[in-house]
Structures are given as structure tokens and as C-alpha cells.
Amino acid sequence: MEPLDQRRTDSDQEEGFGVQSRRATDLGMVPNLRRSNSSLCKSRRLLCSFSSEKQENLSSWIPENIKKKECVYFVESSKLSDAGKVVCECGYTHEQHIEVAIKPHTFQGKEWDPKKHVHEMPTDAFGDIVFTGLSQKVGKYVRLSQDTSSIVIYQLMTQHWGLDVPSLLISVTGGAKNFNMKLRLKSIFRRGLVKVAQTTGAWIITGGSHTGVMKQVGEAVRDFSLSSSCKEGDVITIGIATWGTIHNREALIHPMGGFPAEYMLDEEGQGNLTCLDSNHSHFILVDDGTHGQYGVEIPLRTKLEKFISEQTKERGGVAIKIPIVCVVLEGGPGTLHTIYNAITNGTPCVIVEGSGRVADVIAQVAALPVSEITISLIQQKLSVFFQEMFETFTENQIVEWTKKIQDIVRRRQLLTVFREGKDGQQDVDVAILQALLKASRSQDHFGHENWDHQLKLAVAWNRVDIARSEIFTDEWQWKPSDLHPMMTAALISNKPEFVRLFLENGVRLKEFVTWDTLLCLYENLEPSCLFHSKLQKVLAEEHERLAYASETPRLQMHHVAQVLRELLGDSTQLLYPRPRYTDRPRLSLPMPHIKLNVQGVSLRSLYKRSTGHVTFTIDPVRDLLIWAIIQNHRELAGIIWAQSQDCTAAALACSKILKELSKEEEDTDSSEEMLALADEFEHRAIGVFTECYRKDEERAQKLLVRVSEAWGKTTCLQLALEAKDMKFVSHGGIQAFLTKVWWGQLCVDNGLWRIILCMLAFPLLFTGFISFREKRLQALCRLARVRAFFNAPVVIFYLNILSYFAFLCLFAYVLMVDFQPSPSWCEYLIYLWLFSLVCEETRQLFYDPDGCGLMKMASLYFSDFWNKLDVGAILLFIAGLTCRLIPATLYPGRIILSLDFIMFCLRLMHIFTISKTLGPKIIIVKRMAAFHVSHFAARTPLPSKRKLLILWVILV
């Protein structure tokens, strides 16, 4: 056996591999591989260790499905190990073989054959990996056979390691040693590579070693992790290395899994082996049963990348084949072979000029015509960029290099050269995405399909900058209807910048938002969304009512309206009425995602099939705004709200919805975000009203009481009061309006004493004692002035107070002076008066203009404390009256009626909450009493709690 350092040629030292072409393969043919892109996947990333249950599942699943390679026959090699020990042809010493590894007589005199001498066994190295003394970062690793199926590996990564399906695959290749880059170019490369991976949800695949270009990728990920917040997500970096070339690999061997396995990075003692890079997140260690043989992982890596590129990624309603791009830095002959294979098989390549050797040779000639790329030119370039090894190149090798470079340049649509500060390229990420778009134009897409395919890629990557610069250009004129499917995808995946871009390029919400579009959006709510759980509850309740139904009814817009009615309050009507018939034709959009296949039927064809049966909504902006608000999408809601015509009502309604949702939200952070967004929309409403009030006070005040058809026939003022938007209500213009409403047609400067005098002696109205806002009332007949006076809310309120005081005085007089065995006429008058109160409370209880049902109205009625107090006072009066009419219980009846009198006096607190002086104090006393009574009652023995209950009634 030759020494290992002699066997490692320059090509072996590079991270070279072949990249195969992609073909259209349906992921549905591969079982258990399709995964939904829900937020739950994020919690399963590499930073979180498996729970004990998951570790047990992994410890049982991996040995059953993943194998390793072991040499089972020791065939002595003519070469010695670095330590001078006798080794097998596989490279391992006798001690490193299993016990049965003997040399049978049947194989004497025969050469070592890996097909016969190497057997597969359950793997003994997998789990979590921690690099000792470097960081607390936990990665994943597995040792597997070079013959392992790509399906099994992909299933391990997505289902057991919890990785999201990537939107892009970035395969990085290049030099593996003596790799030097300029500091500025190194910084640009690191920043751009991580940016494109982080923004697009890509996987970066390298050789996984702590050397060369792989080390550069690892350090780029490390710098990103140190400078970013946890909310920005992780960069998935997968290292595919050869198990037999890893230094200190013994630390990774744990038959039942290492959770974690501690690995030490020892560059000084690695010798001809290599150490794993501590900044990679996942490691696939390919085993062929040999030791020290480099390049074993290349075939498996090639097959795995090809398999992944054939899968379909569904993200935010967009389904695309996972694109792959090869990024090349520096490199030697092996890297040239890798680039050649990639270009031949249709994979776009990005060459980083200035990184050295092969990358610079290709970059120098990439813009030249193929006829000018001669042998002499390539020889000249090699002498410049391969100074140390140029003398080792033979004439045949130079000719072979020339042919390969000519073939690479001949397909220049797949070749992109990144030049620092040139061609408008600022970062590597732009070059990578431009290369993919340029490659997509060269594929089997023509005209509209080509541009549509590029837009799908940009949306899947969430790169609106690429869409603006590369797609929405003068080369293609987009029709608004062509953008509708991608608009739906941008909304579902919460990509506000794309929504803004589509609106700028002609999408009209009135044409876009249909009944079916709304149903599709609500069907694709995040499962973690509170509104989603409330909808499911409504559907479950309807299923219980419809006993004959065999399955849960399908979501309809009137279900959404029921939940919105609970959030907006009783001042609004149902936004989406129940359909008159249930067999309305509608488009069936699949759950849980819209499928926009790159090949085959797309959502656009569904839009084209829409007929006149599809109903357009009364206010599409309102519908989209509600959908965004219930998911707490701040930026998206802001963009849609800016399109609204009734901005003030929309902002106040959003504030109301968010405040109601925050009350039920169990997640504290989400609840705080909802309240912050509600406060933001309240400020928006204030801003809009302030601007209107500055231009025209009268019209701005009319805006407050204008009935909004879009928001359930309610008004801005009602919405503000329902949402308790006190900042909005305290606005000077609104306060002036409320004062005007409060005084009706009376002048505000009328003193209170004048009002009370006219209430007691209304003939004073005929003398001009009271002034009116409209001068014409002074000249009208006396009856008109009387009507205007007694219709003023302020007069009605004080009449109600005087009437109630009269009732209390009469009640007190009867209890203290005129309480006879048989009721007097004063007492009968009290009965009549109380009967009128009973009629009023009954009206409030059963008044149901919107058909909510008795149970719902009763729940709303008793949710008000003052209504409870009224019902309690009435019931107590009936009890006292019953005892009073029985001669034997006359005195107890008087005591009960006296207590009832106290409750009727407490009802004055509700009346005086309107007072500027008493109102705030009453509210403070009520809240303080509620807190102290509940606090002390919890620590007080049961007999004393009865006394506290009496105290509570008196204080409240």
C-alpha cells in the first residue's frame, strides 16, 4: 500500500464532486417525504436536543434503516501504517477489525476485494455532536454506508432531524488546502452566501472538513450566528465527508447513539486525516469500510443532491422543484471536472473571480468567444494561476483542460462569474440568484411560462429585490390577472414586500378578492393562530347541531362572520351573511396549500375557470385587512390598510379585533404584540381623523356617525367605544362633537341651573330663557322649542335623575313613614314604578335585532355588572313584597325592602359615572373594592366570608 500522502493527489485534496441533471419526478412517489411548512418545524431545529422519547425513537430507527461498512477479513497489506503497524488492505490495523476478521484459507493467495471482504452492519455512530471547548452549539451526525439510499437519508434529515424542506440547494466546492483569499473578497463571499441561505431557506452542502473552502463556509455561518438574533433563523450547513478520513472519529462511536457525543478538533495531530468543522450544523459521514481513502463521499453526495433537486418544495402556496446551484472557489483539476459535470447536466455554476486557480482561469475566459479560447491561451492562464504545479502539466492535460473549458463557456447561460464591484453585483447572493434565473430562462420555458417560473422562484426565495431588478422589467408586460396566484401565495406566506410589489404592478383588489379567494385564505390560516382554533370550534358546534351530518362541515364565510361578530361586538351586523342555498358553485382550492406546480396545472388555470357564480365581496380591502389582522401580521396589515377608503373605521375595527383576541391569547408575547398593534391602529385612526378635522370640522364630525356598510352598519364612534379606544375618544374634535350631541339643539353656554329651571317650569321656554344653536328655533312656534328642549340628551339625562331621585324619596317615605299593614296609594305607586323598571330590563334582555339567540343575548346582558345589580334589586324587591303581603312576615318584609332600598341607592353610582368629578372616583373605588375583597376573602375563614360579601355589595 502506498503512503497516504502520496495517494492524495491535488485533485483528491479538492472538494470535487459530480452534479447530475434534474428530471421531473413527483415527490408523491416517495413515501413519507412530503412535509408541510408549518411554524412547528422551526422548533425542531438543531439548537434543540431531542427529548428522551425522540432519542429512543431515533436510537431504534437509525440502526434499522442505516448501516455502516466493516472489513470482516484481514488481508495483510504490503504497506505499513504511519505508526509502523501492519495494516489490512482496507487501511485498518488488526486491532481495529472485529473478532471474526480472520483470513480464511479459501482466500489465501487472493487479492483483497471490498465486495467480498466488506459487509454492512447497523451503524454505531449517530446522534448529537458537541465540539469540546469551542461552543455550546449542538449538531447532528450519522455514519452511513456509501450504498445508503437517498430516500432514507432525506427522510432522516427532514423527519428525524426536523429540517425544513429547502427552497434552494447551494453546493459549495473548491480548494481543500492552501486556500487563500483576499480579505475583502472573503468578507463579501461570507456575507452573500449566508444572506442567500438565510433569506431563501436554503441548505448549504460542503465537504464538512475544517479546511479550505469548507472552513470558509463554516466561519461565515459562525459570524452570522454571532451577529444575528434568534428570530432570524438558522443557516443549515450540511457537511458530507468520508468517515475513514476523519481524525478522532472514535469519539463519535456510540452504538445506542451519542446524545451528545463530544468531539475534539485537533488540527496539529490530524496528520493526513482531517477534522470536522465545528461550524457546520449536520454531518453525513460516508463509510466504505476503508481508512484514509479520500473522495468516498462524492458518489453519494452527487446522488443525494440530484434526489433533493427532484423534490417539490411547497412554501406559502408556491410549489417549485428545488433548484440547485454550484458555487466554486479556487480549486484544481478535480474542481474543473466538477464544473464540467455540473454544466453538462444543466446545473448553473457561480465562479468567484479572485479566489484563485481554476476559478480565475475560467473567469478570465468566460466572456470570450469559444473560437478565441485556444490551447496557447489556456497554457498562458495556467502558468499565471498555477505557478507551483505548472511544470507538472503535460501537453495532453492542457489539451483536455482546453476542451473542457470550451464546453463550459459554450453553455454560458449556465455560467455566472461573480466579480467584486462589477456588473452591478454587490454580493454573492445576488449573483447566485441571478444565475438560477438565467438558467431557468434556458430551460423548457417559453414566453409567459418562463417569466411565471422565474416569479415563482423569487417568491419562494422571498427576494423582492431580485423580482424588481430581474423580472419586473420592460422585457415582459405583466397582466394583473397573471399575478393573482402569486398574490395569494405572498399573502399566505406573509411576504408584505411582494404584496406591495404586486399592487404597484397593477393588481386590483376588487378583481383579486373573490369569495373563493377568501375561503382559500382562511383555509390556510396557521394552525397556531387563535382565530383558527375559534373557527374550528364553530365548525365543531355546527357539526353537533347537525346530528345527521357524517363529517365536519366545510368552512364557509358565514362561519368566519360568527367569530368576527364575537370580536367586533353587538354594534355590528354579520359581515358575511349565511348563503340562501348551499349548492352554490365555487372553486375547490386544495388544502392545506395552493399548488402552483412549475409543470402541469397551476392555480392560474383555476382562476381562468372562474365563472359568473363566483361572488365578489362588498369591500375587498376590508376582507384582506381582517385576514391579516387576525394573524397579527403587522407589516402586511399596514400595506392593506393603506388601500382602504374608510381608513378610520378600518383602523378602529382592527383595534377592537386585536384587543379581543389578546384577551384569549395564551402566549404572553403574542398577546403583547396584539395590544401593541391595536395601539398602533388606534394612532392611525387618530392621525386620519386629525387631518380630516383640520380641513373641515363639520364633515369630520359627520364621519364619526356615518354608518359604514362595510363594517356591519356601525359607526366610527361605536367602534371606538366598543374597543375602548380612549385616546381616540379624547381627541378634541371628538369631544367637541360629543358635547354638541349631548346638548342636542341647545346652546352649550346654557347653564345647568337654567336647564333645571326649565325642566321644573317649562313655560320659561316661551320667554327666550334658553338659547338654541339654530336661530330659526327662536322664531318657530313654542311647540317646536319644547320638543327640541326635551329631546336634548342632557335634558333626558337630568329628567331621568330627577325621576329616579323621586322614586327613591317615595320609596324611603313609604318605608319610614307610610308602611301600613295594607298598602297605601304611595306604595301602589312604587309598585307601578318598579313594574316599569321590570319592563325596561326585560326589553334589554330580549331585544335581539340581529337574531343572535336568547342564550347569547342573556350572556351579553349578564356580562354587565349593573344589569346584575338591577336584576338582584328587582328579585329582592319581589321577595320583600311577598313577605310584606303576608301578615305574619310583615316586619321581615320591611327589612328586606330596606336592604333593597340600599341596592337601588347603589344604582346611583352607575348614573354618576358620567360626572367628570365623581365618575373616575367611582370607578377607582369599584376596582379597589373588587381587588381587596377578593384578596382578603381568599385568606378568610368561611363564616367571615359572608361578612365580606355584604361589604362587597355595599362598596360596589
Side-chain angles (χ1 to χ4, degrees), residues 719-739:
L719 286 171
L721 294 174
E722 287 280 345
K724 297 181 181 179
D725 290 334
M726 294 299 104
K727 294 178 182 177
F728 180 82
V729 176
S730 63
H731 188 280
I734 299 174
Q735 288 297 307
F737 172 74
L738 292 177
T739 302

Side-chain angles (χ1 to χ4, degrees), residues 107-144:
F107 287 98
Q108 287 184 1
K110 294 187 178 182
E111 296 182 355
W112 183 79
D113 186 358
K115 294 182 179 179
K116 297 179 180 179
H117 295 175
V118 177
H119 291 180
E120 282 190 347
M121 300 180 180
T123 187
D124 58 359
F126 63 92
D128 300 340
I129 182 171
V130 175
F131 289 83
T132 306
L134 293 178
S135 66
Q136 301 298 320
K137 190 173 183 179
V138 180
K140 307 292 181 187
Y141 76 98
V142 66
R143 172 190 181 184
L144 47 77

Side-chain angles (χ1 to χ4, degrees), residues 370-436:
V370 177
S371 59
E372 296 183 15
I373 303 176
T374 61
I375 297 176
S376 60
L377 177 62
I378 298 301
Q379 187 174 7
Q380 176 188 352
K381 298 297 181 182
L382 291 177
S383 64
V384 174
F385 296 107
F386 287 83
Q387 296 179 1
E388 297 181 357
M389 58 179 300
F390 178 71
E391 299 297 333
T392 62
F393 284 110
T394 64
E395 184 176 349
N396 290 335
Q397 287 177 326
I398 296 176
V399 172
E400 182 183 358
W401 275 58
T402 304
K403 290 181 179 179
K404 287 185 177 180
I405 292 175
Q406 286 177 342
D407 291 340
I408 291 171
V409 175
R410 188 172 284 113
R411 301 191 65 179
R412 64 182 76 244
Q413 72 275 10
L414 298 176
L415 187 65
T416 300
V417 178
F418 173 76
R419 296 181 173 89
E420 178 188 350
K422 296 182 180 180
D423 300 333
Q425 294 176 346
Q426 301 297 324
D427 268 327
V428 176
D429 64 310
V430 178
I432 291 174
L433 300 180
Q434 285 177 340
L436 288 164

Side-chain angles (χ1 to χ4, degrees), residues 28-29 74 108 121 151 226 236 367 381 385 409 431 436 473 510 572 581 594 609 648 688 697 704 783 869 883 935:
M29 298 172 63
F74 186 88
Q108 287 184 1
M121 300 180 180
I151 297 176
L226 293 175
I236 304 303
K381 298 297 181 182
F385 296 107
V409 175
L436 288 164
T473 62
K510 184 174 291 187
T572 62
Y581 51 93
I594 315 165
R609 290 206 306 267
T648 308
V688 173
E697 295 183 7
L704 295 174
L783 183 59
L869 183 64
C883 294
H935 179 71

Side-chain angles (χ1 to χ4, degrees), residues 488-504:
T488 304
L491 287 168
I492 293 174
S493 55
N494 189 24
K495 295 174 180 175
E497 292 300 324
F498 270 100
V499 173
R500 181 182 285 113
L501 178 65
F502 296 148
L503 290 174
E504 292 172 357

